[in-house]
Coordinates of all heavy atoms in Angstrom, one line a residue:
Chain B
R181 N -4.0 -61.4 17.5 CA -3.5 -60.2 18.2 C -4.0 -60.2 19.6 O -3.3 -59.9 20.6 CB -4.1 -59.0 17.5 CG -3.4 -58.5 16.3 CD -3.7 -57.1 15.9 NE -5.1 -56.9 15.7 CZ -5.7 -57.1 14.5 NH1 -5.0 -57.5 13.4 NH2 -7.0 -56.9 14.3
Q182 N -5.3 -60.6 19.8 CA -5.8 -60.6 21.2 C -5.0 -61.6 22.1 O -4.7 -61.3 23.2 CB -7.3 -61.1 21.2 CG -8.2 -59.9 20.9 CD -9.6 -60.4 20.6 OE1 -9.9 -61.6 20.8 NE2 -10.5 -59.5 20.1
R183 N -4.7 -62.7 21.5 CA -4.0 -63.7 22.3 C -2.6 -63.2 22.7 O -2.1 -63.5 23.8 CB -3.9 -65.1 21.6 CG -5.3 -65.7 21.5 CD -5.3 -66.9 20.7 NE -4.5 -68.0 21.3 CZ -4.5 -69.3 20.8 NH1 -5.2 -69.6 19.8 NH2 -3.9 -70.2 21.5
I184 N -1.9 -62.6 21.7 CA -0.6 -62.1 22.0 C -0.7 -61.0 23.1 O 0.1 -61.0 24.1 CB 0.1 -61.5 20.8 CG1 0.5 -62.6 19.9 CG2 1.2 -60.5 21.2 CD1 1.2 -62.2 18.6
A185 N -1.7 -60.1 23.0 CA -1.8 -59.0 24.0 C -2.1 -59.7 25.4 O -1.5 -59.3 26.4 CB -2.9 -58.1 23.6
G186 N -3.0 -60.7 25.4 CA -3.3 -61.3 26.6 C -2.1 -62.0 27.3 O -1.9 -61.9 28.5
A187 N -1.4 -62.7 26.4 CA -0.2 -63.4 27.0 C 0.8 -62.4 27.6 O 1.4 -62.6 28.6 CB 0.5 -64.2 25.9
A188 N 1.0 -61.2 26.8 CA 1.9 -60.2 27.4 C 1.4 -59.7 28.7 O 2.2 -59.5 29.6 CB 2.0 -59.1 26.3
A189 N 0.1 -59.4 28.8 CA -0.4 -58.9 30.0 C -0.3 -59.9 31.2 O 0.2 -59.5 32.3 CB -1.9 -58.5 29.9
V190 N -0.6 -61.1 30.9 CA -0.4 -62.1 32.0 C 1.0 -62.3 32.4 O 1.4 -62.4 33.6 CB -1.0 -63.5 31.5 CG1 -0.7 -64.6 32.5 CG2 -2.5 -63.4 31.4
G191 N 1.9 -62.2 31.4 CA 3.3 -62.4 31.7 C 3.8 -61.2 32.5 O 4.5 -61.4 33.5
A192 N 3.4 -60.0 32.2 CA 3.8 -58.8 33.0 C 3.3 -58.9 34.4 O 4.0 -58.6 35.4 CB 3.3 -57.6 32.3
L193 N 2.0 -59.4 34.5 CA 1.4 -59.5 35.9 C 2.2 -60.5 36.7 O 2.6 -60.3 37.9 CB 0.0 -59.9 35.7 CG -0.9 -59.7 37.0 CD1 -1.0 -58.2 37.2 CD2 -2.2 -60.4 36.8
A194 N 2.5 -61.6 36.0 CA 3.2 -62.7 36.8 C 4.6 -62.2 37.1 O 5.1 -62.4 38.3 CB 3.4 -63.9 35.9
A195 N 5.2 -61.4 36.2 CA 6.6 -60.9 36.5 C 6.5 -59.9 37.7 O 7.4 -59.9 38.6 CB 7.1 -60.2 35.3
A196 N 5.4 -59.1 37.7 CA 5.3 -58.2 38.8 C 5.2 -58.9 40.1 O 5.8 -58.5 41.1 CB 4.0 -57.3 38.6
L197 N 4.3 -59.9 40.2 CA 4.1 -60.6 41.4 C 5.5 -61.3 41.9 O 5.9 -61.2 43.0 CB 3.1 -61.7 41.2 CG 1.6 -61.2 41.2 CD1 0.7 -62.3 40.9 CD2 1.3 -60.5 42.5
L198 N 6.1 -61.9 40.9 CA 7.4 -62.6 41.2 C 8.4 -61.6 41.6 O 9.1 -61.8 42.6 CB 7.9 -63.3 39.9 CG 8.6 -64.6 40.1 CD1 7.8 -65.6 40.8 CD2 9.1 -65.1 38.7
A199 N 8.5 -60.4 40.9 CA 9.5 -59.4 41.3 C 9.3 -58.9 42.7 O 10.2 -58.8 43.5 CB 9.5 -58.3 40.3
A200 N 8.0 -58.6 43.0 CA 7.6 -58.1 44.3 C 8.0 -59.1 45.4 O 8.6 -58.7 46.4 CB 6.1 -57.8 44.4
L201 N 7.7 -60.3 45.1 CA 8.0 -61.4 46.1 C 9.5 -61.5 46.3 O 10.0 -61.5 47.5 CB 7.5 -62.7 45.6 CG 7.4 -63.8 46.6 CD1 6.2 -63.5 47.6 CD2 7.1 -65.1 45.9
L202 N 10.3 -61.5 45.2 CA 11.7 -61.7 45.3 C 12.3 -60.5 46.0 O 13.2 -60.6 46.8 CB 12.3 -61.9 43.9 CG 12.1 -63.2 43.3 CD1 12.6 -63.2 41.8 CD2 12.8 -64.3 44.1
L203 N 11.8 -59.3 45.6 CA 12.4 -58.1 46.2 C 12.1 -58.1 47.7 O 13.0 -57.7 48.5 CB 11.8 -56.9 45.6 CG 12.5 -56.4 44.4 CD1 11.7 -55.3 43.7 CD2 13.9 -55.9 44.7
H204 N 10.9 -58.4 48.1 CA 10.6 -58.5 49.5 C 11.5 -59.4 50.3 O 12.1 -59.0 51.3 CB 9.1 -58.9 49.7 CG 8.7 -58.8 51.1 ND1 8.3 -57.6 51.7 CD2 8.5 -59.8 52.0 CE1 8.0 -57.9 52.9 NE2 8.1 -59.1 53.2
R205 N 11.8 -60.5 49.7 CA 12.7 -61.5 50.3 C 14.1 -61.0 50.3 O 14.9 -61.1 51.2 CB 12.6 -62.9 49.6 CG 11.3 -63.6 50.0 CD 11.4 -65.0 49.5 NE 12.6 -65.6 50.0 CZ 12.6 -66.9 50.3 NH1 11.5 -67.7 50.1 NH2 13.7 -67.5 50.8
G206 N 14.5 -60.4 49.1 CA 15.9 -59.9 48.9 C 16.2 -58.8 49.8 O 17.3 -58.6 50.3
L207 N 15.2 -57.9 50.2 CA 15.5 -56.8 51.0 C 15.4 -57.1 52.5 O 15.6 -56.2 53.3 CB 14.5 -55.6 50.7 CG 14.7 -55.0 49.3 CD1 13.6 -54.0 49.0 CD2 16.1 -54.4 49.2
R208 N 15.1 -58.3 52.8 CA 14.9 -58.7 54.2 C 16.2 -58.3 55.0 O 16.1 -57.8 56.1 CB 14.6 -60.2 54.4 CG 13.8 -60.5 55.6 CD 13.4 -62.0 55.6 NE 14.6 -62.8 55.6 CZ 15.1 -63.4 56.6 NH1 14.6 -63.2 57.8 NH2 16.2 -64.1 56.6
P209 N 17.4 -58.6 54.5 CA 18.6 -58.2 55.3 C 18.6 -56.7 55.6 O 19.1 -56.4 56.7 CB 19.8 -58.6 54.4 CG 19.2 -59.6 53.5 CD 17.8 -59.3 53.3
L210 N 18.1 -55.9 54.7 CA 18.1 -54.5 55.0 C 17.1 -54.2 56.2 O 17.4 -53.3 57.0 CB 17.6 -53.7 53.8 CG 18.6 -53.2 52.8 CD1 17.9 -52.3 51.8 CD2 19.6 -52.3 53.6
R211 N 16.0 -54.9 56.2 CA 15.0 -54.6 57.3 C 15.6 -55.1 58.6 O 15.5 -54.4 59.7 CB 13.7 -55.3 57.0 CG 12.9 -54.7 56.0 CD 11.4 -55.2 55.9 NE 11.4 -56.6 55.6 CZ 11.5 -57.1 54.3 NH1 11.6 -56.2 53.3 NH2 11.4 -58.4 54.1
V212 N 16.3 -56.2 58.6 CA 17.0 -56.7 59.8 C 18.0 -55.7 60.3 O 18.1 -55.4 61.4 CB 17.7 -58.1 59.5 CG1 18.5 -58.5 60.7 CG2 16.6 -59.1 59.2
L213 N 18.8 -55.2 59.3 CA 19.8 -54.2 59.6 C 19.2 -52.9 60.2 O 19.7 -52.4 61.2 CB 20.5 -53.8 58.3 CG 21.9 -53.2 58.4 CD1 22.8 -54.1 59.0 CD2 22.4 -52.8 57.0
A214 N 18.1 -52.5 59.7 CA 17.4 -51.3 60.2 C 16.9 -51.6 61.6 O 17.1 -50.7 62.5 CB 16.2 -50.9 59.3
G215 N 16.4 -52.8 61.9 CA 16.0 -53.1 63.2 C 17.2 -53.1 64.2 O 17.1 -52.5 65.3
H216 N 18.3 -53.6 63.8 CA 19.5 -53.6 64.6 C 19.9 -52.1 64.9 O 20.1 -51.8 66.1 CB 20.7 -54.2 63.9 CG 20.7 -55.7 64.0 ND1 21.6 -56.5 63.5 CD2 19.8 -56.6 64.7 CE1 21.4 -57.8 63.7 NE2 20.3 -57.8 64.5
A217 N 20.0 -51.4 63.8 CA 20.4 -50.0 64.0 C 19.5 -49.2 64.9 O 19.9 -48.4 65.7 CB 20.5 -49.3 62.6

Side-chain angles (χ1 to χ4, degrees):
Chain B
R181 279 198 302 273
Q182 276 170 10
R183 287 173 72 170
I184 284 179
V190 169
L193 195 69
L197 285 173
L198 211 59
L201 195 71
L202 285 175
L203 273 170
H204 186 75
R205 288 189 56 145
L207 290 177
R208 207 174 63 97
L210 266 186
R211 287 193 297 279
V212 172
L213 200 61
H216 278 180

